[in-house]
Amino acid sequence: MSLFATPGMSSLTPAAQNSQASNAPGRLNKPSALERSARDEMNAQVIDSLNVSIGAGNKSQQLLYRSAIDKINELLAPDFGADALQAAATKQDNTAEATAERILSLSLGFYDAYAKQNPDKSTEELANGFVSLVRSGFEKGFNEAKDILEGLKVWGGTIATDIQKTYELVQKGYDDFLASKLPAASTTDSSA
């Protein structure tokens, strides 16, 4: 049903159309082929418009990012050359140590927010729950990346060694973080 009258369609409300149609001799309460065609065309246009709007909404951040990067590159080009931001990104340190540090920094950076969302938990429950959560996410991501590399038949040699080292460093980082948040275990001297 269309809310707007289109050529060939009545401007009456659907109820008024049905009333008028029922009073017309020999006319059934069905819209004419012309009315159905116009209504179907309008509905298709509305759906297309919604699809474009939804699609644009889903990609709005991507559009913003791309536009910002392009303009920043334009402004940096006289001093740093074309595509300065991409060039800087390729110079990123991708060693196992640097990659592990980035993963730890990003994931552990959410601890305070996690603690605020769980005010009823003890310090020990907070630390254990948070580390369990981020560790689980890291392990899933690691396994997915490993599966992709195995599928591409590039898993092995230095790639496997470096990625495994990153995995171990991240796990150690999570263990160290957890130890820093938990109260030190009190030891009692029973030899006295």
Side-chain angles (χ1 to χ4, degrees):
M1 176 179 80
S2 172
L3 297 176
F4 305 101
T6 57
M9 290 184 69
S10 170
S11 62
L12 298 175
T13 66
Q17 288 176 349
N18 284 341
S19 170
Q20 189 180 46
S22 64
N23 294 335
R27 173 134 186 212
L28 299 175
N29 288 335
K30 295 182 180 177
S32 71
L34 182 60
E35 290 172 329
R36 281 192 314 272
S37 174
R39 181 189 65 220
D40 292 346
E41 184 178 329
M42 179 162 246
N43 287 342
Q45 290 173 352
V46 168
I47 289 171
D48 286 345
S49 174
L50 287 172
N51 286 337
V52 168
S53 296
I54 291 167
N58 289 342
K59 298 192 187 268
S60 61
Q61 291 297 334
Q62 185 179 12
L63 176 63
L64 171 63
Y65 175 79
R66 185 74 254 153
S67 296
I69 294 298
D70 288 347
K71 293 303 175 192
I72 293 169
N73 274 331
E74 267 181 41
L75 295 172
L76 293 176
D79 295 323
F80 300 100
D83 298 325
L85 293 177
Q86 289 85 337
T90 60
K91 295 176 184 172
Q92 176 176 300
D93 184 353
N94 290 313
T95 62
E97 294 81 7
T99 302
E101 182 57 39
R102 282 191 302 275
I103 292 168
L104 289 166
S105 176
L106 286 171
S107 61
L108 296 176
F110 285 94
Y111 179 76
D112 290 336
Y114 179 83
K116 284 180 185 175
Q117 290 179 345
N118 297 282
D120 55 325
K121 292 186 177 184
S122 70
T123 303
E124 187 173 334
E125 289 173 320
L126 279 172
N128 283 319
F130 178 75
V131 170
S132 176
L133 180 71
V134 294
R135 189 185 307 261
S136 170
F138 168 70
E139 288 173 353
K140 286 177 185 173
F142 172 83
N143 288 326
E144 286 177 15
K146 183 179 176 186
D147 289 346
I148 291 168
L149 294 170
E150 286 174 340
L152 295 171
K153 303 206 183 312
V154 295
W155 180 262
T158 58
I159 290 173
T161 302
D162 289 346
I163 291 176
Q164 189 61 41
K165 183 176 182 181
T166 302
Y167 177 86
E168 291 166 4
L169 289 168
V170 171
Q171 293 292 2
K172 182 181 180 325
Y174 288 147
D175 291 340
D176 292 348
F177 178 84
L178 184 59
S180 76
K181 295 295 180 186
L182 297 177
S186 59
T187 57
T188 54
D189 190 346
S190 58
S191 61

